[in-house]
Amino acid sequence: MRCWLKIEEMALEELMQRLNAVSQCADEIMHQDIIPLYAADIQDQLKKQFAYLSGGRGGDGCPVITFPDYPAFSEIPEKEFQNVLTYLTSIPSLRDAGIGFILVIDRRQDKWTSVKASILRIAASFPGNLQLVLVLRPTGFFHRALSDIAFRFNRDELKMKVPIIMLGSVSELQGYIDKTQLTEDLGGTLDYCHNRWLSRRTAIEGFAQKVKQTAQILQSFGTELAETELPNDVQSTSSLLATHTEKKDKMKEDIRVAVEQGDDILGSITKPVTENPEYKLNQDQLDNQTTVERLLAQLHETETAFDEFWIKHQQKLEQCLRLRNFEQDFREVKAALDIVSERLSAFSDVGNSRSHVEHILKDLANFEEKSHETVAKARMLASERDAFIQSNHYAVDSIIPKCSELHHLCDAFTTETERRRNLLNKSLELHDLLEKSMKWCDEGIYLLASQPVDKCQSQDGAESALQEIEKFLDTGAGNKIKELNKIYREYAHILNEDLKEHVQKVFQKQESMEEMFQKRQVSLKKLAAKQTRPVQPVAPRPEAFVKSPCTSPGLQRENVSSSESSALRRVNYRKAKSEMTELHQSRGGSTMDDEENLAVLRQHVMNELIETERAYVEELLCVLEGYAAEMDNPLMAHLISPELQNKKDILFGNMEEIYHFHNRIFLRELETYVEYPELVGRCFLDQMEDFQIYEKYCQNKPRSESLWRQFSDSVFFQECQRKLDHKLSLDSYLLKPVQRITKYQLLLKEMLKYSKNCEGAEDLQEALTSILGILKAVNDSMHQIAITGYDGNLNELGKLLMQGSFNVWTDHKKGHTKVKDLARFKPMQRHLFLHEKAVLFCKKREENGEGYEKAPSYSYKHSLNMAAVGITENVKGDAKKFEIWYNAREEVYIIQAPTPEVKATWVNEIRKVLTSQLQACREASQHRTLEQTQSLPLPLPASSCASPSRNHIRNTKKTEEKKADLTSLEGCGTTVAPKYPEKGKGWAKASHSLDASEENDGWSSAEEPLNSSDAEEEGGGGGGEIKLTPGKYTVVTDYDKGVSEEFTVKSGDLVQLIREGEDGLWFVKNLSSGREGWIPANNLLMLIGNSKSAQSLSSSESGTASSNLSTSSSCSDSCNVSSTSFSDIKG
């Protein structure tokens, strides 16, 4: 770096010296160092032409200055006269000017007095050396004679340093100066144009000034370049290099323009010679040519000096840019190496099973492959050190340490990767040993469980069983763990707490199995040593038993595929299960322990659960890495059609989320229960919430399958399948999560079957119920997403509780008249969706298609808010029917279920929803009442005041009613809502259609459907007293038995409650007639209460009650029947 700075300083100094020399030389050429005067400065004075330098020369080369006849010569200001003479004498070369000038004063048209004055003025002001003064005297006779006489008498006065010769004619002048050196006005042949001469002098001097300015600008620019500090980042360095290059190019362009200018001037000087080779330039023209050529030479010198400096400066900037790029790449590569090193450190797990270790090894190989690019880039960057050294880079001292650091990091990463791989290979070796031991133990347990009892009762059978056991024990030499301490020593560097515990469990299992064999050997030896009565065989013949050992978790499948092994394991499992059942039935008090056989069966179920779980996780990983990840692989992008791009989330759904749950959580939890299979229910219960992710996957499955059918023949999928060596296509693997979630309930049922008397039986039952609940929720959600035409958000309706298809009849009552629509003979087919907040009525539409497209869709028709719904559980004449009614039976829907069991399930679920709503409403009402009680008390009307004894009675009644509320709700459904009788009228002949498109089909008057009163009479007339609630009520039936005969009310009248009386009578005011009287409380249906839970009528108070009922929730306790009803008043 220091060396480079010294070189740069030397280059700048050299540039400055050369450019200073150019500036000085330009001044010398133009004589500006002696007389700094330019033609442009005195251009107006030169244009007067009272004196000019024609370019003519005397005999010895003396420059000739001509003073032509100028009448206003005496009026020329002294300053201008002096400037012109000074400038003209500075033009010839120093050598010519040193010889002296010849002055030709033309006064042929002047007077003697003017001649005398002109000579005296010139003699006094001429700045150069004079060799000769030639005066053309006046041509007039008088003035000519006068001049001769006057010149003789004034010789001394006119005496100059050089002789003055008075000439009478031009011919005499030619005797002193050659005719070719005189201009045409003096009788010569010299070609002279004053304007041309002035223009050329101005151009030459401008060019000289341009050369000097260019040298000065380059000096400043060179200083600027040399003093610029080098940036510390790539972008700034690139910008600086671009800026300097741009300025350099501009300077080069200025130099080029200056050269062109000089060439143009030179061309104009030599143009006559070019046009006429015989033409000879005068001395003045030759001097101009020499001047321009010298200036051009200085300009070329300036350009050369700058180019040499720029090359060094550009090299410095390019090396700086290269350094900044190296530093940036170094930072990026080092950061990438740090990241891959950090990720490598995450491979600290040595695995908890063989498949787990294989997965880690595969992940490590993939990671190593992905990080190869980073390591290769780092090594390539480090190899640039030699290139920097060879290019004599100025910062090589700072580059070499960074390259060495990169080499070290790459070597460290490679070494650590190899170390991790060796550890995992060692772990794989250990797990192979453990799985061999576990497999041997499982085979031994299977052998013990498969030996038939009846055969062992005989001496030959016992001896044969002993031989089988001894033969099996001989196979343990290469399969079992011999010395536990040796294992600890050999694998000490990979044994963590979990793995060490696993080794201990396997060794304990091996010891337990060997102990079981020893006990069995002792028993069999006793049987073989004594004669026993033969036992009549009842179990299947031994030849029918399959004695192939069952596969255990983590079994290495060498010659059998996973599907064949799984099939073999299931055959063995079924055989063993069948044998255990038959043995249990046949031997009664056999020496074999029943619990031992059940434990074997439980272990088989557990083995199947864990092994299939591992296989399931492997398959998910295979799909995610072999298909999903490849969709983001740039190398495979050309195989993916544009329509398939960005569709990965649709095709695979949330499979990655499912994989992470099973791989990281559920599988590991299952493996902790391998020795305690009867307790595995707790594992399912702990993770039950996580199983909800399957609902999202199943909901996306129709979209996924539709997309697959469109692109199943895609080259991309075929290539992925070829790489994975799969026999089945992707759609088979996309079905795995659906198959797996349904498999769990089967395994739990089997485990529960063999764990009836075990500690974890309750957990198993609860886990089975929960899994079945998830399957139901998944199934319901699959139907829910098929609903079309619903404008709102289904999620706002709360949880989907039930769904199913029903026959539906409708009955809509409107206004006072309660006119019923004609009921249809043929019921509507409707698919109902029961949510927490609403029940939806949809029409099922079957679809044509394949796969999930065969599933039906549901066209939304209408919905009922559960806050305004009531139910009647039993409908006369059909045990499968029940009623859902709305707004106090303004709308009634008779629902016919497929079976009585389905009806009971739906009724119970609806009752739960209504009960929970009622309870929540009561709690909210009590809370508001408490708030009102704590605030300022409200005055009571005088008419509502009662005696203390009556208040006591009322409070007692309320207490009893509250206690009975929940009890009455328990049996809701067997009673009916308040009646709206119309004498002689049942249901209308046809009900109102739910579907406008169905209004014209199924009309019939041949058969009378259910009469509404039939359903209401079932369950009797109510029960329990009604709690007093101040407010407005509607009369249910006509009543004319009041205390006063004038007080009568009709069904539908609106009354105001005044006070409560005895024997269930209330004192009310008829708002229609204004009369007051007593009426039974059970003949009133509450419309408006003073509680905040009740609402007001939307129109006039005198309107009919039935036409003003709303769909909001009512918490009134004034209903005198026990049916479950929630109806409200419009707000």
Side-chain angles (χ1 to χ4, degrees):
M1 183 71 178
R2 293 177 181 176
C3 180
W4 171 257
L5 292 175
K6 185 175 181 181
I7 293 173
E8 187 178 20
E9 290 175 0
M10 293 173 61
L12 178 61
E13 183 178 354
E14 180 182 355
L15 176 67
M16 294 298 104
Q17 291 176 355
R18 295 174 69 175
L19 294 180
N20 282 331
V22 169
S23 299
Q24 293 174 4
C25 188
D27 288 339
E28 291 175 0
I29 293 171
M30 301 305 298
H31 302 159
Q32 297 299 317
D33 55 335
I34 301 175
I35 304 175
L37 195 62
Y38 294 96
D41 298 336
I42 58 172
Q43 188 172 9
D44 294 338
Q45 302 167 20
L46 291 172
K47 283 182 179 180
K48 293 179 180 181
Q49 201 177 348
F50 59 83
Y52 62 86
L53 188 67
S54 63
R57 292 291 190 267
D60 51 359
C62 299
V64 177
I65 296 178
T66 304
F67 289 87
D69 188 15
Y70 190 77
F73 186 79
S74 60
E75 298 176 2
I76 297 174
E78 184 62 30
K79 181 64 175 177
E80 293 183 9
F81 187 76
Q82 188 69 38
N83 287 340
V84 172
L85 292 182
T86 302
Y87 178 74
L88 293 178
T89 56
S90 66
I91 293 175
S93 64
L94 296 178
R95 183 183 63 81
D96 293 344
I99 298 174
F101 291 89
I102 297 177
L103 303 183
V104 177
I105 304 173
D106 184 7
R107 289 297 179 264
R108 288 176 290 176
Q109 303 300 326
D110 209 346
K111 301 178 182 179
W112 165 248
T113 55
S114 298
V115 173
K116 177 182 177 182
S118 298
I119 294 173
L120 291 175
R121 186 175 187 182
I122 292 171
S125 302
F126 194 76
N129 298 329
L130 288 174
Q131 189 180 52
L132 184 62
V133 178
L134 301 175
V135 181
L136 287 174
R137 58 188 178 182
T139 56
F141 178 77
F142 174 75
H143 291 287
R144 181 185 181 89
L146 182 61
S147 61
D148 288 339
I149 297 170
F151 182 71
R152 293 190 186 99
F153 285 102
N154 295 305
R155 186 182 295 273
D156 294 336
E157 186 179 353
L158 297 174
K159 188 176 182 180
M160 301 174 67
K161 297 180 180 179
V162 294
I164 299 176
I165 300 174
M166 301 295 288
L167 302 175
S169 64
V170 175
S171 58
E172 293 180 8
L173 176 62
Q174 293 176 359
Y176 292 91
I177 301 174
D178 190 83
K179 183 179 181 180
T180 58
Q181 302 299 318
L182 294 173
T183 57
E184 293 178 357
D185 59 334
L186 295 177
T189 61
L190 180 63
D191 181 21
Y192 174 76
C193 176
H194 188 69
N195 289 333
R196 183 178 61 194
W197 174 87
L198 182 59
S199 175
R200 185 167 295 165
R201 286 301 304 176
T202 303
I204 293 174
E205 290 174 357
F207 176 59
Q209 195 171 7
K210 179 72 172 178
V211 172
K212 183 177 180 180
Q213 289 177 353
T214 301
Q216 293 173 348
I217 292 173
L218 290 178
Q219 282 181 326
S220 301
F221 183 50
T223 303
E224 177 188 348
L225 297 183
E227 293 178 353
T228 301
E229 293 186 3
L230 299 178
N232 292 323
D233 60 279
V234 174
Q235 184 175 358
S236 299
T237 306
S238 299
S239 177
L240 180 63
L241 179 59
T243 301
H244 284 190
T245 303
E246 183 180 356
K247 289 183 178 180
K248 183 268 298 184
D249 292 340
K250 186 176 182 303
M251 294 300 303
K252 292 284 290 183
E253 178 64 20
D254 292 342
I255 294 174
R256 187 189 64 79
V257 171
V259 171
E260 288 182 357
Q261 180 182 348
D263 290 338
D264 291 343
I265 296 173
L266 187 61
S268 66
I269 295 174
T270 59
K271 182 178 180 181
V273 179
T274 304
E275 294 176 352
N276 184 12
E278 296 181 358
Y279 182 87
K280 293 184 179 181
L281 299 175
N282 59 42
Q283 189 61 42
D284 190 34
Q285 292 173 328
L286 291 174
D287 289 344
N288 287 341
Q289 180 180 357
T290 302
T291 299
V292 174
E293 289 175 348
R294 292 179 64 189
L295 290 173
L296 283 172
Q298 294 303 313
L299 189 59
H300 287 304
E301 169 63 17
T302 300
E303 184 177 14
T304 302
F306 177 73
D307 287 343
E308 292 177 359
F309 173 78
W310 170 255
I311 291 174
K312 296 177 181 178
H313 179 73
Q314 185 182 27
Q315 182 183 4
K316 180 187 74 171
L317 289 180
E318 289 176 348
Q319 287 190 353
C320 178
L321 179 60
R322 186 179 178 188
L323 174 63
R324 299 303 177 236
N325 280 318
F326 172 81
E327 291 173 344
Q328 178 176 309
D329 292 343
F330 173 78
R331 289 191 295 268
E332 293 175 356
V333 168
K334 187 175 183 303
L337 284 176
D338 292 340
I339 291 174
V340 297
S341 298
E342 183 179 354
R343 290 178 180 174
L344 180 61
S345 63
F347 286 89
S348 57
D349 195 355
V350 293
N352 51 26
S353 66
R354 176 182 175 80
S355 60
H356 189 200
V357 177
E358 289 175 343
H359 278 309
I360 296 176
L361 278 169
K362 185 176 180 181
D363 290 343
L364 181 61
N366 292 336
F367 167 74
E368 189 176 7
E369 182 180 354
K370 292 177 181 178
S371 60
H372 174 74
E373 181 179 355
T374 299
V375 176
K377 186 176 180 180
R379 293 193 182 277
M380 183 179 296
L381 186 63
S383 64
E384 293 183 8
R385 177 181 61 180
D386 296 336
F388 280 106
I389 295 174
Q390 292 175 1
S391 63
N392 196 24
H393 196 282
Y394 69 87
V396 69
D397 293 341
S398 64
I399 294 173
I400 292 177
K402 290 183 174 63
C403 294
S404 300
E405 183 178 359
L406 289 178
H407 278 300
H408 173 72
L409 290 174
C410 292
D411 293 341
F413 175 79
T414 304
T415 303
E416 181 63 16
T417 303
E418 189 63 28
R419 189 184 73 84
R420 300 279 181 180
R421 186 184 296 105
N422 292 337
L423 288 177
L424 290 172
N425 287 330
K426 202 69 177 175
S427 176
L428 188 64
E429 181 182 323
L430 176 60
H431 282 292
D432 282 340
L433 180 60
L434 295 177
E435 290 189 356
K436 284 182 180 179
S437 177
M438 292 175 65
K439 177 184 177 183
W440 185 67
C441 292
D442 290 341
E443 291 173 348
I445 294 173
Y446 182 84
L447 175 61
L448 294 178
S450 62
Q451 288 183 337
V453 177
D454 56 337
K455 180 179 178 181
C456 296
Q457 300 300 318
S458 65
Q459 184 176 7
D460 293 338
E463 290 177 350
S464 176
L466 274 174
Q467 291 177 359
E468 288 180 351
I469 291 175
E470 291 172 355
K471 182 179 179 181
F472 172 77
L473 291 177
D474 292 339
T475 64
N479 293 320
K480 68 177 183 178
I481 301 174
K482 299 177 181 178
E483 296 182 22
L484 191 60
N485 291 331
K486 183 179 179 181
I487 296 294
Y488 288 163
R489 289 192 303 270
E490 185 175 354
Y491 301 98
H493 50 293
I494 63 169
L495 283 176
N496 52 34
E497 292 297 327
D498 293 338
L499 190 54
K500 192 172 183 179
E501 182 180 356
H502 183 46
V503 172
Q504 292 173 351
K505 287 182 179 180
V506 173
F507 189 72
Q508 290 173 0
K509 181 177 181 179
Q510 177 181 301
E511 288 183 332
S512 300
M513 190 273 296
E514 290 177 336
E515 183 179 353
M516 291 170 62
F517 268 82
Q518 291 176 1
K519 291 180 179 179
R520 179 66 63 87
Q521 282 179 311
V522 171
S523 300
L524 291 174
K525 287 179 180 178
K526 290 180 180 179
L527 291 173
K530 63 179 181 178
Q531 295 292 333
T532 58
R533 293 177 58 189
V535 179
Q536 181 67 28
V538 294
R541 296 180 61 188
E543 290 79 10
F545 282 72
V546 180
K547 291 196 174 185
S548 300
C550 69
T551 55
S552 62
L555 180 60
Q556 175 71 25
R557 307 172 186 86
E558 296 177 354
N559 299 320
V560 184
S561 66
S562 60
S563 59
E564 293 172 348
S565 176
S566 178
L568 178 60
R569 174 184 45 72
R570 287 195 293 270
V571 170
N572 294 338
Y573 166 59
R574 294 191 190 103
K575 288 291 184 180
K577 182 174 71 172
S578 175
E579 292 166 9
M580 293 301 103
T581 303
E582 293 178 4
L583 287 173
H584 177 70
Q585 293 174 351
S586 64
R587 72 176 185 261
S590 169
T591 57
M592 290 279 190
D593 186 12
D594 290 345
E595 181 54 35
E596 178 182 333
N597 296 325
L598 290 175
V600 171
L601 293 172
R602 286 196 298 270
Q603 190 63 51
H604 277 288
V605 176
M606 192 65 189
N607 290 345
E608 181 178 4
L609 175 60
I610 292 179
E611 184 179 352
T612 55
E613 184 71 15
R614 287 171 177 164
Y616 175 55
V617 170
E618 290 178 6
E619 288 169 341
L620 291 181
L621 179 62
C622 188
V623 171
L624 292 173
E625 290 185 346
Y627 286 97
E630 290 298 302
M631 292 187 74
D632 298 327
N633 186 355
L635 300 178
M636 299 284 286
H638 65 285
L639 300 178
I640 304 177
S641 60
E643 296 81 5
L644 186 59
Q645 292 179 354
N646 302 322
K647 297 291 180 62
K648 184 173 72 172
D649 292 340
I650 296 178
L651 185 60
F652 298 97
N654 62 330
M655 179 181 284
E656 185 175 357
E657 182 183 8
I658 293 174
Y659 165 72
H660 288 312
F661 162 64
H662 284 272
N663 182 52
R664 298 174 180 175
I665 301 174
F666 190 61
L667 176 57
R668 298 186 182 186
E669 289 295 320
L670 278 180
E671 289 172 341
T672 61
Y673 289 88
V674 66
E675 299 296 331
Y676 314 99
E678 67 276 3
L679 303 179
V680 76
R682 175 51 49 192
C683 178
F684 279 88
L685 292 175
D686 290 342
Q687 312 301 332
M688 196 57 64
E689 289 186 6
D690 293 322
F691 280 103
Q692 302 295 333
I693 58 179
Y694 279 90
E695 184 173 342
K696 180 179 179 182
Y697 185 85
C698 292
Q699 287 178 350
N700 180 69
K701 196 68 178 67
R703 299 174 64 203
S704 172
E705 192 164 288
S706 176
L707 184 65
W708 165 254
R709 280 195 298 274
Q710 295 179 43
F711 302 100
S712 59
D713 56 350
S714 170
V715 178
F716 169 77
F717 293 125
Q718 294 175 3
E719 177 64 17
C720 291
Q721 183 177 349
R722 184 191 64 78
K723 288 183 178 180
L724 295 172
D725 196 22
H726 281 178
K727 296 180 180 179
L728 300 177
S729 56
L730 174 61
D731 58 327
S732 300
Y733 292 91
L734 293 177
L735 197 60
K736 293 291 183 181
V738 180
Q739 295 171 338
R740 187 59 183 171
I741 191 63
T742 57
K743 178 71 173 177
Y744 288 127
Q745 55 102 5
L746 300 176
L747 294 171
L748 286 172
K749 285 179 181 178
E750 288 296 314
M751 185 65 76
L752 182 62
K753 181 178 179 181
Y754 305 125
S755 308
K756 293 293 186 181
N757 300 322
C758 296
E759 177 184 350
E762 293 182 1
D763 288 342
L764 286 170
Q765 182 61 56
E766 186 179 353
L768 176 59
T769 303
S770 299
I771 285 291
L772 292 174
I774 287 177
L775 292 176
K776 177 184 176 299
V778 169
N779 183 58
D780 290 346
S781 68
M782 295 294 290
H783 288 274
Q784 183 183 11
I785 63 175
I787 296 176
T788 61
Y790 184 74
D791 294 335
N793 185 356
L794 291 173
N795 294 328
E796 296 178 355
L797 302 182
K799 182 180 179 181
L800 177 62
L801 304 175
M802 304 282 289
Q803 57 85 25
S805 294
F806 300 88
N807 293 329
V808 178
W809 293 265
T810 64
D811 177 28
H812 296 339
K813 303 175 182 179
K814 304 177 180 178
H816 279 289
T817 60
K818 303 180 183 177
V819 177
K820 301 180 180 180
D821 296 330
L822 294 176
R824 298 189 309 178
F825 175 75
K826 182 180 179 181
M828 292 177 292
Q829 302 297 320
R830 289 291 179 263
H831 200 91
L832 272 59
F833 293 86
L834 177 61
H835 293 76
E836 291 176 326
K837 297 181 181 179
V839 56
L840 272 62
F841 289 76
C842 300
K843 184 175 181 180
K844 184 176 181 180
R845 302 187 186 277
E846 298 292 341
E847 300 290 345
N848 296 323
E850 299 179 0
Y852 279 92
E853 290 188 357
K854 287 184 179 178
S857 64
Y858 302 97
S859 178
Y860 169 77
K861 296 303 178 183
H862 78 295
S863 61
L864 303 178
N865 190 339
M866 291 301 294
V869 162
I871 62 169
T872 303
E873 294 189 15
N874 296 316
V875 176
K876 185 177 180 180
D878 194 338
K880 295 183 291 183
K881 290 183 178 178
F882 64 96
E883 285 185 351
I884 297 179
W885 41 271
Y886 195 63
N887 280 353
R889 302 186 66 86
E890 182 178 319
E891 301 176 16
V892 179
Y893 302 88
I894 300 176
I895 313 297
Q896 185 183 48
T899 64
E901 292 76 14
V902 173
K903 166 198 165 181
T905 304
W906 273 74
V907 168
N908 289 335
E909 198 65 40
I910 295 174
R911 184 193 304 145
K912 291 179 183 178
V913 174
L914 300 181
T915 303
S916 63
Q917 289 182 351
L918 177 61
Q919 187 64 28
C921 187
R922 283 179 174 172
E923 292 176 357
S925 177
Q926 292 174 2
H927 179 69
R928 287 192 294 268
T929 303
L930 180 61
E931 289 180 346
Q932 292 176 355
T933 303
Q934 293 174 349
S935 62
L936 292 176
L938 297 175
L940 296 174
S943 61
S944 66
C945 296
S947 64
S949 60
R950 182 170 296 180
N951 288 337
H952 176 71
I953 294 172
R954 182 188 307 165
N955 294 336
T956 303
K957 289 181 179 180
K958 290 181 179 179
T959 303
E960 293 173 353
E961 288 167 359
K962 288 181 179 178
K963 291 180 179 179
D965 280 336
L966 293 177
T967 306
S968 65
L969 284 170
E970 291 292 328
C972 74
T974 59
T975 57
V976 295
K979 294 164 50 177
Y980 296 83
E982 294 186 12
K983 294 181 179 180
K985 293 183 180 180
W987 274 27
K989 296 288 184 177
S991 63
H992 177 68
S993 173
L994 294 180
D995 188 358
S997 65
E998 298 172 358
E999 288 182 352
N1000 297 325
D1001 61 323
W1003 295 96
S1004 172
S1005 60
E1007 180 176 340
E1008 181 86 359
L1010 291 175
N1011 190 295
S1012 61
S1013 61
D1014 293 341
E1016 294 168 3
E1017 290 172 359
E1018 201 170 357
E1025 289 187 48
I1026 304 305
K1027 177 181 177 182
L1028 176 65
T1029 302
K1032 296 178 182 179
Y1033 291 76
T1034 184
V1035 178
V1036 177
T1037 60
D1038 295 346
Y1039 183 77
D1040 56 358
K1041 298 179 182 181
V1043 177
S1044 172
E1045 294 181 358
E1046 298 178 355
F1047 181 76
T1048 61
V1049 291
K1050 295 183 178 181
S1051 175
D1053 285 352
L1054 195 66
V1055 298
Q1056 173 73 46
L1057 174 62
I1058 298 177
R1059 65 180 179 272
E1060 182 182 13
E1062 302 288 343
D1063 300 325
L1065 295 176
W1066 285 359
F1067 192 79
V1068 299
K1069 178 180 179 179
N1070 190 334
L1071 297 179
S1072 300
S1073 63
R1075 297 179 181 274
E1076 298 180 352
W1078 294 92
I1079 188 172
N1082 58 9
N1083 196 29
L1084 300 177
L1085 178 64
M1086 180 182 179
L1087 287 182
I1088 302 176
N1090 293 336
S1091 171
K1092 292 183 180 179
S1093 64
Q1095 307 293 325
S1096 62
L1097 286 173
S1098 61
S1099 59
S1100 65
E1101 294 181 353
S1102 60
T1104 62
S1106 61
S1107 64
N1108 290 318
L1109 291 174
S1110 74
T1111 59
S1112 60
S1113 176
S1114 170
C1115 299
S1116 171
D1117 296 330
S1118 62
C1119 183
N1120 65 337
V1121 292
S1122 60
S1123 62
T1124 308
S1125 173
F1126 300 98
S1127 59
D1128 242 353
I1129 311 303
K1130 287 184 179 178

